Amino acid sequence: MNQQRSPTIRRRRLGAEMRRHREAAGVTIDTVAARIGCSMSKVSRIETGHTSATPADVQNILDIYGVDDAIKMELVQIAREARQKGWWHPFSTVLTGAYVGLEAAARAVRTYEQQVIPGLLQSEEYAIAMIRAARLGDRIEEIEQRVHVRMARQSLLTSDDPIDLRVVLDEAVLSRPVGGDEVMRDQLRRLIEAARLPNVTLQILPFDVGAHAGMDGTFAILEFEEERDADVVFTENATGGLFLEKFEELEKYNAIFEAIQATALDPDASTQMMELLVEEPLWKLKRRVSEST
C-alpha cells in the first residue's frame, strides 16, 4: 500500500474535513445524529478519526451541510480508502492506538528515547528480549506478532520513497544490555549501519550534559506530506499512548526536540561513540565498578 494511502491518515483527514464542513454550515453534532439516525458519539468519533464512516454516511451527512458535488465526491472517495485494511490489520489484536497507521503515512519522524531503541531501529533479537521483559502477560504467539509488526515497519527506512528519520538517544539506552551482551552488541552494530543511511540522522545525548530539555519523557513527532494532514506528537505509555495535535503542543515539542538535538553529540561523534561501545560496552564497565565497591 502506498504510504500516503494509509487508511489511518485517510480516516483522520476525512474526520477533519467533515468537522470543518459541519462548523461552516453551523450544524450541531446532535442535529447530524438525529438526521442520519445514529448516536452523537458516532458522529464525534468520525470527526476525530477514531472510527471509519461508510461512503453512504458521508454522502448523507454532507447533504445536510449543503456541500457541492465535487467536494462530496472527493470525500466519499476518501471514505472508501479509509475503510481499506492496512498491512498491519491482521495484527490489530496486539496493537494499541493508531501509531503504526500514522507512521506508515508520515514523511518524517523525529523521536527522542530515554530507555529503549526505537522500533524502527531494533534488531529482531533486541525486540524479542525487550517485549518479553515489558509485556509480562503476553503469550508466545502475541510476542511473535509484535516482533513481526516491528520488523515489517522497518521497510519504511529502505523503501523507494523512505521516510526521513531523526533520532536522539539518551546514553542510558546504550548502557542497558537488553537481551544480554551479544544481543546488545549486535544492536549497536545495527544502529551504526542505520546511521549510515542517507535518510537517518542518529545522535546520542551523553550523560555529561546533565539536565536537559527532554527530561519529562520520550516522544515522537510525526510529520506528513500534505498540508491538510496536521503533524502529531505521540507520547507512549504502558497502555498505548497519547496523541497531541494542538498547535501549541506541537510548538512545544518541536522546541524540545530542537533543544535536545543541539545538546546531543553530532551524528559523526555519535557513530564514533557507538563504535567504541561495541568494543568496550558501558555495562561491562559498570559491572567492574560495582564489583569494586
Side-chain angles (χ1 to χ4, degrees), residues 95-118:
L95 296 176
T96 53
Y99 183 83
V100 172
L102 291 173
E103 181 186 71
R107 67 173 174 83
V109 175
R110 290 177 289 155
T111 185
Y112 166 64
E113 282 286 355
Q114 291 178 326
Q115 295 291 335
V116 299
I117 306 295

mmCIF file with all atom_site columns, all heavy atoms in Angstrom, residues 95-118:
data_model
loop_
_atom_site.group_PDB
_atom_site.id
_atom_site.type_symbol
_atom_site.label_atom_id
_atom_site.label_alt_id
_atom_site.label_comp_id
_atom_site.label_asym_id
_atom_site.label_entity_id
_atom_site.label_seq_id
_atom_site.pdbx_PDB_ins_code
_atom_site.Cartn_x
_atom_site.Cartn_y
_atom_site.Cartn_z
_atom_site.occupancy
_atom_site.B_iso_or_equiv
_atom_site.pdbx_formal_charge
_atom_site.auth_seq_id
_atom_site.auth_comp_id
_atom_site.auth_asym_id
_atom_site.auth_atom_id
_atom_site.pdbx_PDB_model_num
ATOM 1   N N   . LEU A 1 95  ? -1.894 -4.527 18.716 1.00 0.00 ? 95  LEU A N   1
ATOM 2   C CA  . LEU A 1 95  ? -1.559 -3.124 18.518 1.00 0.00 ? 95  LEU A CA  1
ATOM 3   C C   . LEU A 1 95  ? -2.535 -2.261 19.299 1.00 0.00 ? 95  LEU A C   1
ATOM 4   O O   . LEU A 1 95  ? -3.730 -2.531 19.338 1.00 0.00 ? 95  LEU A O   1
ATOM 5   C CB  . LEU A 1 95  ? -1.619 -2.754 17.035 1.00 0.00 ? 95  LEU A CB  1
ATOM 6   C CG  . LEU A 1 95  ? -0.616 -3.457 16.122 1.00 0.00 ? 95  LEU A CG  1
ATOM 7   C CD1 . LEU A 1 95  ? -0.857 -3.053 14.669 1.00 0.00 ? 95  LEU A CD1 1
ATOM 8   C CD2 . LEU A 1 95  ? 0.812  -3.128 16.519 1.00 0.00 ? 95  LEU A CD2 1
ATOM 9   N N   . THR A 1 96  ? -2.014 -1.227 19.927 1.00 0.00 ? 96  THR A N   1
ATOM 10  C CA  . THR A 1 96  ? -2.867 -0.290 20.648 1.00 0.00 ? 96  THR A CA  1
ATOM 11  C C   . THR A 1 96  ? -2.755 1.075  19.989 1.00 0.00 ? 96  THR A C   1
ATOM 12  O O   . THR A 1 96  ? -1.659 1.556  19.722 1.00 0.00 ? 96  THR A O   1
ATOM 13  C CB  . THR A 1 96  ? -2.444 -0.179 22.123 1.00 0.00 ? 96  THR A CB  1
ATOM 14  O OG1 . THR A 1 96  ? -1.044 0.134  22.184 1.00 0.00 ? 96  THR A OG1 1
ATOM 15  C CG2 . THR A 1 96  ? -2.706 -1.478 22.854 1.00 0.00 ? 96  THR A CG2 1
ATOM 16  N N   . GLY A 1 97  ? -3.891 1.680  19.715 1.00 0.00 ? 97  GLY A N   1
ATOM 17  C CA  . GLY A 1 97  ? -3.875 3.001  19.107 1.00 0.00 ? 97  GLY A CA  1
ATOM 18  C C   . GLY A 1 97  ? -3.582 2.961  17.621 1.00 0.00 ? 97  GLY A C   1
ATOM 19  O O   . GLY A 1 97  ? -3.509 1.910  16.983 1.00 0.00 ? 97  GLY A O   1
ATOM 20  N N   . ALA A 1 98  ? -3.380 4.156  17.061 1.00 0.00 ? 98  ALA A N   1
ATOM 21  C CA  . ALA A 1 98  ? -3.266 4.311  15.612 1.00 0.00 ? 98  ALA A CA  1
ATOM 22  C C   . ALA A 1 98  ? -1.839 4.602  15.163 1.00 0.00 ? 98  ALA A C   1
ATOM 23  O O   . ALA A 1 98  ? -1.622 4.983  14.013 1.00 0.00 ? 98  ALA A O   1
ATOM 24  C CB  . ALA A 1 98  ? -4.199 5.444  15.150 1.00 0.00 ? 98  ALA A CB  1
ATOM 25  N N   . TYR A 1 99  ? -0.850 4.376  16.048 1.00 0.00 ? 99  TYR A N   1
ATOM 26  C CA  . TYR A 1 99  ? 0.503  4.838  15.723 1.00 0.00 ? 99  TYR A CA  1
ATOM 27  C C   . TYR A 1 99  ? 1.054  4.212  14.438 1.00 0.00 ? 99  TYR A C   1
ATOM 28  O O   . TYR A 1 99  ? 1.604  4.912  13.587 1.00 0.00 ? 99  TYR A O   1
ATOM 29  C CB  . TYR A 1 99  ? 1.472  4.559  16.877 1.00 0.00 ? 99  TYR A CB  1
ATOM 30  C CG  . TYR A 1 99  ? 2.848  5.105  16.582 1.00 0.00 ? 99  TYR A CG  1
ATOM 31  C CD1 . TYR A 1 99  ? 3.144  6.435  16.823 1.00 0.00 ? 99  TYR A CD1 1
ATOM 32  C CD2 . TYR A 1 99  ? 3.841  4.300  16.014 1.00 0.00 ? 99  TYR A CD2 1
ATOM 33  C CE1 . TYR A 1 99  ? 4.386  6.965  16.519 1.00 0.00 ? 99  TYR A CE1 1
ATOM 34  C CE2 . TYR A 1 99  ? 5.087  4.818  15.707 1.00 0.00 ? 99  TYR A CE2 1
ATOM 35  C CZ  . TYR A 1 99  ? 5.360  6.148  15.960 1.00 0.00 ? 99  TYR A CZ  1
ATOM 36  O OH  . TYR A 1 99  ? 6.582  6.659  15.637 1.00 0.00 ? 99  TYR A OH  1
ATOM 37  N N   . VAL A 1 100 ? 0.935  2.910  14.289 1.00 0.00 ? 100 VAL A N   1
ATOM 38  C CA  . VAL A 1 100 ? 1.528  2.240  13.124 1.00 0.00 ? 100 VAL A CA  1
ATOM 39  C C   . VAL A 1 100 ? 0.927  2.783  11.826 1.00 0.00 ? 100 VAL A C   1
ATOM 40  O O   . VAL A 1 100 ? 1.637  3.007  10.850 1.00 0.00 ? 100 VAL A O   1
ATOM 41  C CB  . VAL A 1 100 ? 1.349  0.707  13.216 1.00 0.00 ? 100 VAL A CB  1
ATOM 42  C CG1 . VAL A 1 100 ? 1.787  0.024  11.921 1.00 0.00 ? 100 VAL A CG1 1
ATOM 43  C CG2 . VAL A 1 100 ? 2.147  0.150  14.385 1.00 0.00 ? 100 VAL A CG2 1
ATOM 44  N N   . GLY A 1 101 ? -0.389 3.009  11.821 1.00 0.00 ? 101 GLY A N   1
ATOM 45  C CA  . GLY A 1 101 ? -1.030 3.545  10.629 1.00 0.00 ? 101 GLY A CA  1
ATOM 46  C C   . GLY A 1 101 ? -0.589 4.959  10.313 1.00 0.00 ? 101 GLY A C   1
ATOM 47  O O   . GLY A 1 101 ? -0.408 5.313  9.143  1.00 0.00 ? 101 GLY A O   1
ATOM 48  N N   . LEU A 1 102 ? -0.395 5.787  11.341 1.00 0.00 ? 102 LEU A N   1
ATOM 49  C CA  . LEU A 1 102 ? 0.080  7.145  11.107 1.00 0.00 ? 102 LEU A CA  1
ATOM 50  C C   . LEU A 1 102 ? 1.540  7.151  10.668 1.00 0.00 ? 102 LEU A C   1
ATOM 51  O O   . LEU A 1 102 ? 1.930  7.908  9.781  1.00 0.00 ? 102 LEU A O   1
ATOM 52  C CB  . LEU A 1 102 ? -0.094 7.979  12.387 1.00 0.00 ? 102 LEU A CB  1
ATOM 53  C CG  . LEU A 1 102 ? -1.535 8.298  12.786 1.00 0.00 ? 102 LEU A CG  1
ATOM 54  C CD1 . LEU A 1 102 ? -1.563 8.976  14.147 1.00 0.00 ? 102 LEU A CD1 1
ATOM 55  C CD2 . LEU A 1 102 ? -2.207 9.179  11.741 1.00 0.00 ? 102 LEU A CD2 1
ATOM 56  N N   . GLU A 1 103 ? 2.333  6.304  11.270 1.00 0.00 ? 103 GLU A N   1
ATOM 57  C CA  . GLU A 1 103 ? 3.747  6.188  10.893 1.00 0.00 ? 103 GLU A CA  1
ATOM 58  C C   . GLU A 1 103 ? 3.875  5.798  9.426  1.00 0.00 ? 103 GLU A C   1
ATOM 59  O O   . GLU A 1 103 ? 4.755  6.292  8.712  1.00 0.00 ? 103 GLU A O   1
ATOM 60  C CB  . GLU A 1 103 ? 4.430  5.163  11.788 1.00 0.00 ? 103 GLU A CB  1
ATOM 61  C CG  . GLU A 1 103 ? 5.910  4.968  11.507 1.00 0.00 ? 103 GLU A CG  1
ATOM 62  C CD  . GLU A 1 103 ? 6.481  3.823  12.329 1.00 0.00 ? 103 GLU A CD  1
ATOM 63  O OE1 . GLU A 1 103 ? 6.141  2.655  12.022 1.00 0.00 ? 103 GLU A OE1 1
ATOM 64  O OE2 . GLU A 1 103 ? 7.245  4.088  13.274 1.00 0.00 ? 103 GLU A OE2 1
ATOM 65  N N   . ALA A 1 104 ? 2.990  4.900  8.963  1.00 0.00 ? 104 ALA A N   1
ATOM 66  C CA  . ALA A 1 104 ? 3.036  4.435  7.576  1.00 0.00 ? 104 ALA A CA  1
ATOM 67  C C   . ALA A 1 104 ? 2.772  5.552  6.579  1.00 0.00 ? 104 ALA A C   1
ATOM 68  O O   . ALA A 1 104 ? 3.163  5.452  5.409  1.00 0.00 ? 104 ALA A O   1
ATOM 69  C CB  . ALA A 1 104 ? 2.022  3.306  7.368  1.00 0.00 ? 104 ALA A CB  1
ATOM 70  N N   . ALA A 1 105 ? 2.117  6.627  7.029  1.00 0.00 ? 105 ALA A N   1
ATOM 71  C CA  . ALA A 1 105 ? 1.791  7.742  6.150  1.00 0.00 ? 105 ALA A CA  1
ATOM 72  C C   . ALA A 1 105 ? 2.733  8.927  6.309  1.00 0.00 ? 105 ALA A C   1
ATOM 73  O O   . ALA A 1 105 ? 2.663  9.889  5.553  1.00 0.00 ? 105 ALA A O   1
ATOM 74  C CB  . ALA A 1 105 ? 0.355  8.198  6.403  1.00 0.00 ? 105 ALA A CB  1
ATOM 75  N N   . ALA A 1 106 ? 3.618  8.875  7.310  1.00 0.00 ? 106 ALA A N   1
ATOM 76  C CA  . ALA A 1 106 ? 4.466  10.028 7.618  1.00 0.00 ? 106 ALA A CA  1
ATOM 77  C C   . ALA A 1 106 ? 5.570  10.197 6.572  1.00 0.00 ? 106 ALA A C   1
ATOM 78  O O   . ALA A 1 106 ? 6.057  9.232  5.989  1.00 0.00 ? 106 ALA A O   1
ATOM 79  C CB  . ALA A 1 106 ? 5.080  9.863  9.003  1.00 0.00 ? 106 ALA A CB  1
ATOM 80  N N   . ARG A 1 107 ? 5.950  11.446 6.357  1.00 0.00 ? 107 ARG A N   1
ATOM 81  C CA  . ARG A 1 107 ? 7.123  11.711 5.508  1.00 0.00 ? 107 ARG A CA  1
ATOM 82  C C   . ARG A 1 107 ? 8.374  11.827 6.371  1.00 0.00 ? 107 ARG A C   1
ATOM 83  O O   . ARG A 1 107 ? 9.495  11.671 5.888  1.00 0.00 ? 107 ARG A O   1
ATOM 84  C CB  . ARG A 1 107 ? 6.928  12.987 4.698  1.00 0.00 ? 107 ARG A CB  1
ATOM 85  C CG  . ARG A 1 107 ? 6.894  14.270 5.513  1.00 0.00 ? 107 ARG A CG  1
ATOM 86  C CD  . ARG A 1 107 ? 6.863  15.493 4.619  1.00 0.00 ? 107 ARG A CD  1
ATOM 87  N NE  . ARG A 1 107 ? 6.700  16.728 5.377  1.00 0.00 ? 107 ARG A NE  1
ATOM 88  C CZ  . ARG A 1 107 ? 7.694  17.386 5.964  1.00 0.00 ? 107 ARG A CZ  1
ATOM 89  N NH1 . ARG A 1 107 ? 8.930  16.913 5.899  1.00 0.00 ? 107 ARG A NH1 1
ATOM 90  N NH2 . ARG A 1 107 ? 7.465  18.500 6.612  1.00 0.00 ? 107 ARG A NH2 1
ATOM 91  N N   . ALA A 1 108 ? 8.186  12.119 7.663  1.00 0.00 ? 108 ALA A N   1
ATOM 92  C CA  . ALA A 1 108 ? 9.334  12.262 8.566  1.00 0.00 ? 108 ALA A CA  1
ATOM 93  C C   . ALA A 1 108 ? 8.905  11.937 9.985  1.00 0.00 ? 108 ALA A C   1
ATOM 94  O O   . ALA A 1 108 ? 7.761  12.179 10.372 1.00 0.00 ? 108 ALA A O   1
ATOM 95  C CB  . ALA A 1 108 ? 9.906  13.680 8.498  1.00 0.00 ? 108 ALA A CB  1
ATOM 96  N N   . VAL A 1 109 ? 9.844  11.364 10.739 1.00 0.00 ? 109 VAL A N   1
ATOM 97  C CA  . VAL A 1 109 ? 9.622  11.079 12.158 1.00 0.00 ? 109 VAL A CA  1
ATOM 98  C C   . VAL A 1 109 ? 10.824 11.597 12.926 1.00 0.00 ? 109 VAL A C   1
ATOM 99  O O   . VAL A 1 109 ? 11.972 11.325 12.562 1.00 0.00 ? 109 VAL A O   1
ATOM 100 C CB  . VAL A 1 109 ? 9.442  9.565  12.421 1.00 0.00 ? 109 VAL A CB  1
ATOM 101 C CG1 . VAL A 1 109 ? 9.331  9.295  13.925 1.00 0.00 ? 109 VAL A CG1 1
ATOM 102 C CG2 . VAL A 1 109 ? 8.221  9.022  11.694 1.00 0.00 ? 109 VAL A CG2 1
ATOM 103 N N   . ARG A 1 110 ? 10.544 12.365 13.964 1.00 0.00 ? 110 ARG A N   1
ATOM 104 C CA  . ARG A 1 110 ? 11.598 12.810 14.880 1.00 0.00 ? 110 ARG A CA  1
ATOM 105 C C   . ARG A 1 110 ? 11.272 12.232 16.246 1.00 0.00 ? 110 ARG A C   1
ATOM 106 O O   . ARG A 1 110 ? 10.159 12.405 16.752 1.00 0.00 ? 110 ARG A O   1
ATOM 107 C CB  . ARG A 1 110 ? 11.653 14.342 14.952 1.00 0.00 ? 110 ARG A CB  1
ATOM 108 C CG  . ARG A 1 110 ? 12.182 14.986 13.672 1.00 0.00 ? 110 ARG A CG  1
ATOM 109 C CD  . ARG A 1 110 ? 12.142 16.493 13.760 1.00 0.00 ? 110 ARG A CD  1
ATOM 110 N NE  . ARG A 1 110 ? 10.778 17.001 13.706 1.00 0.00 ? 110 ARG A NE  1
ATOM 111 C CZ  . ARG A 1 110 ? 10.403 18.174 14.221 1.00 0.00 ? 110 ARG A CZ  1
ATOM 112 N NH1 . ARG A 1 110 ? 11.269 18.928 14.873 1.00 0.00 ? 110 ARG A NH1 1
ATOM 113 N NH2 . ARG A 1 110 ? 9.156  18.575 14.111 1.00 0.00 ? 110 ARG A NH2 1
ATOM 114 N N   . THR A 1 111 ? 12.232 11.564 16.850 1.00 0.00 ? 111 THR A N   1
ATOM 115 C CA  . THR A 1 111 ? 11.928 10.895 18.113 1.00 0.00 ? 111 THR A CA  1
ATOM 116 C C   . THR A 1 111 ? 13.087 11.006 19.098 1.00 0.00 ? 111 THR A C   1
ATOM 117 O O   . THR A 1 111 ? 14.261 10.985 18.714 1.00 0.00 ? 111 THR A O   1
ATOM 118 C CB  . THR A 1 111 ? 11.574 9.409  17.857 1.00 0.00 ? 111 THR A CB  1
ATOM 119 O OG1 . THR A 1 111 ? 11.173 8.796  19.080 1.00 0.00 ? 111 THR A OG1 1
ATOM 120 C CG2 . THR A 1 111 ? 12.747 8.644  17.279 1.00 0.00 ? 111 THR A CG2 1
ATOM 121 N N   . TYR A 1 112 ? 12.708 11.122 20.367 1.00 0.00 ? 112 TYR A N   1
ATOM 122 C CA  . TYR A 1 112 ? 13.684 11.110 21.463 1.00 0.00 ? 112 TYR A CA  1
ATOM 123 C C   . TYR A 1 112 ? 13.338 9.941  22.364 1.00 0.00 ? 112 TYR A C   1
ATOM 124 O O   . TYR A 1 112 ? 12.178 9.747  22.749 1.00 0.00 ? 112 TYR A O   1
ATOM 125 C CB  . TYR A 1 112 ? 13.625 12.417 22.263 1.00 0.00 ? 112 TYR A CB  1
ATOM 126 C CG  . TYR A 1 112 ? 14.349 12.321 23.586 1.00 0.00 ? 112 TYR A CG  1
ATOM 127 C CD1 . TYR A 1 112 ? 15.722 12.097 23.629 1.00 0.00 ? 112 TYR A CD1 1
ATOM 128 C CD2 . TYR A 1 112 ? 13.653 12.421 24.790 1.00 0.00 ? 112 TYR A CD2 1
ATOM 129 C CE1 . TYR A 1 112 ? 16.383 11.978 24.843 1.00 0.00 ? 112 TYR A CE1 1
ATOM 130 C CE2 . TYR A 1 112 ? 14.309 12.315 26.002 1.00 0.00 ? 112 TYR A CE2 1
ATOM 131 C CZ  . TYR A 1 112 ? 15.673 12.086 26.028 1.00 0.00 ? 112 TYR A CZ  1
ATOM 132 O OH  . TYR A 1 112 ? 16.328 11.960 27.213 1.00 0.00 ? 112 TYR A OH  1
ATOM 133 N N   . GLU A 1 113 ? 14.334 9.110  22.679 1.00 0.00 ? 113 GLU A N   1
ATOM 134 C CA  . GLU A 1 113 ? 14.127 7.924  23.505 1.00 0.00 ? 113 GLU A CA  1
ATOM 135 C C   . GLU A 1 113 ? 15.075 7.935  24.701 1.00 0.00 ? 113 GLU A C   1
ATOM 136 O O   . GLU A 1 113 ? 16.272 8.186  24.559 1.00 0.00 ? 113 GLU A O   1
ATOM 137 C CB  . GLU A 1 113 ? 14.345 6.644  22.706 1.00 0.00 ? 113 GLU A CB  1
ATOM 138 C CG  . GLU A 1 113 ? 13.181 6.268  21.798 1.00 0.00 ? 113 GLU A CG  1
ATOM 139 C CD  . GLU A 1 113 ? 11.981 5.723  22.560 1.00 0.00 ? 113 GLU A CD  1
ATOM 140 O OE1 . GLU A 1 113 ? 12.102 5.547  23.798 1.00 0.00 ? 113 GLU A OE1 1
ATOM 141 O OE2 . GLU A 1 113 ? 10.943 5.494  21.937 1.00 0.00 ? 113 GLU A OE2 1
ATOM 142 N N   . GLN A 1 114 ? 14.522 7.619  25.880 1.00 0.00 ? 114 GLN A N   1
ATOM 143 C CA  . GLN A 1 114 ? 15.321 7.576  27.114 1.00 0.00 ? 114 GLN A CA  1
ATOM 144 C C   . GLN A 1 114 ? 15.678 6.167  27.560 1.00 0.00 ? 114 GLN A C   1
ATOM 145 O O   . GLN A 1 114 ? 16.649 5.975  28.278 1.00 0.00 ? 114 GLN A O   1
ATOM 146 C CB  . GLN A 1 114 ? 14.531 8.229  28.257 1.00 0.00 ? 114 GLN A CB  1
ATOM 147 C CG  . GLN A 1 114 ? 14.344 9.716  28.139 1.00 0.00 ? 114 GLN A CG  1
ATOM 148 C CD  . GLN A 1 114 ? 13.525 10.260 29.285 1.00 0.00 ? 114 GLN A CD  1
ATOM 149 O OE1 . GLN A 1 114 ? 12.616 9.601  29.782 1.00 0.00 ? 114 GLN A OE1 1
ATOM 150 N NE2 . GLN A 1 114 ? 13.841 11.473 29.716 1.00 0.00 ? 114 GLN A NE2 1
ATOM 151 N N   . GLN A 1 115 ? 14.859 5.167  27.155 1.00 0.00 ? 115 GLN A N   1
ATOM 152 C CA  . GLN A 1 115 ? 15.001 3.834  27.725 1.00 0.00 ? 115 GLN A CA  1
ATOM 153 C C   . GLN A 1 115 ? 15.329 2.744  26.706 1.00 0.00 ? 115 GLN A C   1
ATOM 154 O O   . GLN A 1 115 ? 16.072 1.817  27.018 1.00 0.00 ? 115 GLN A O   1
ATOM 155 C CB  . GLN A 1 115 ? 13.709 3.442  28.467 1.00 0.00 ? 115 GLN A CB  1
ATOM 156 C CG  . GLN A 1 115 ? 13.398 4.292  29.678 1.00 0.00 ? 115 GLN A CG  1
ATOM 157 C CD  . GLN A 1 115 ? 14.379 4.063  30.814 1.00 0.00 ? 115 GLN A CD  1
ATOM 158 O OE1 . GLN A 1 115 ? 15.000 3.011  30.922 1.00 0.00 ? 115 GLN A OE1 1
ATOM 159 N NE2 . GLN A 1 115 ? 14.541 5.059  31.672 1.00 0.00 ? 115 GLN A NE2 1
ATOM 160 N N   . VAL A 1 116 ? 14.745 2.813  25.510 1.00 0.00 ? 116 VAL A N   1
ATOM 161 C CA  . VAL A 1 116 ? 14.886 1.713  24.547 1.00 0.00 ? 116 VAL A CA  1
ATOM 162 C C   . VAL A 1 116 ? 15.219 2.245  23.158 1.00 0.00 ? 116 VAL A C   1
ATOM 163 O O   . VAL A 1 116 ? 14.988 3.414  22.845 1.00 0.00 ? 116 VAL A O   1
ATOM 164 C CB  . VAL A 1 116 ? 13.592 0.866  24.456 1.00 0.00 ? 116 VAL A CB  1
ATOM 165 C CG1 . VAL A 1 116 ? 13.266 0.238  25.803 1.00 0.00 ? 116 VAL A CG1 1
ATOM 166 C CG2 . VAL A 1 116 ? 12.421 1.704  23.956 1.00 0.00 ? 116 VAL A CG2 1
ATOM 167 N N   . ILE A 1 117 ? 15.755 1.355  22.330 1.00 0.00 ? 117 ILE A N   1
ATOM 168 C CA  . ILE A 1 117 ? 15.970 1.670  20.923 1.00 0.00 ? 117 ILE A CA  1
ATOM 169 C C   . ILE A 1 117 ? 14.604 1.840  20.253 1.00 0.00 ? 117 ILE A C   1
ATOM 170 O O   . ILE A 1 117 ? 13.695 1.036  20.489 1.00 0.00 ? 117 ILE A O   1
ATOM 171 C CB  . ILE A 1 117 ? 16.740 0.525  20.222 1.00 0.00 ? 117 ILE A CB  1
ATOM 172 C CG1 . ILE A 1 117 ? 18.042 0.208  20.969 1.00 0.00 ? 117 ILE A CG1 1
ATOM 173 C CG2 . ILE A 1 117 ? 17.007 0.872  18.758 1.00 0.00 ? 117 ILE A CG2 1
ATOM 174 C CD1 . ILE A 1 117 ? 19.059 1.292  20.984 1.00 0.00 ? 117 ILE A CD1 1
ATOM 175 N N   . PRO A 1 118 ? 14.396 2.851  19.418 1.00 0.00 ? 118 PRO A N   1
ATOM 176 C CA  . PRO A 1 118 ? 13.119 2.984  18.712 1.00 0.00 ? 118 PRO A CA  1
ATOM 177 C C   . PRO A 1 118 ? 12.828 1.751  17.856 1.00 0.00 ? 118 PRO A C   1
ATOM 178 O O   . PRO A 1 118 ? 13.750 1.120  17.322 1.00 0.00 ? 118 PRO A O   1
ATOM 179 C CB  . PRO A 1 118 ? 13.324 4.226  17.834 1.00 0.00 ? 118 PRO A CB  1
ATOM 180 C CG  . PRO A 1 118 ? 14.438 4.979  18.483 1.00 0.00 ? 118 PRO A CG  1
ATOM 181 C CD  . PRO A 1 118 ? 15.327 3.946  19.097 1.00 0.00 ? 118 PRO A CD  1
#
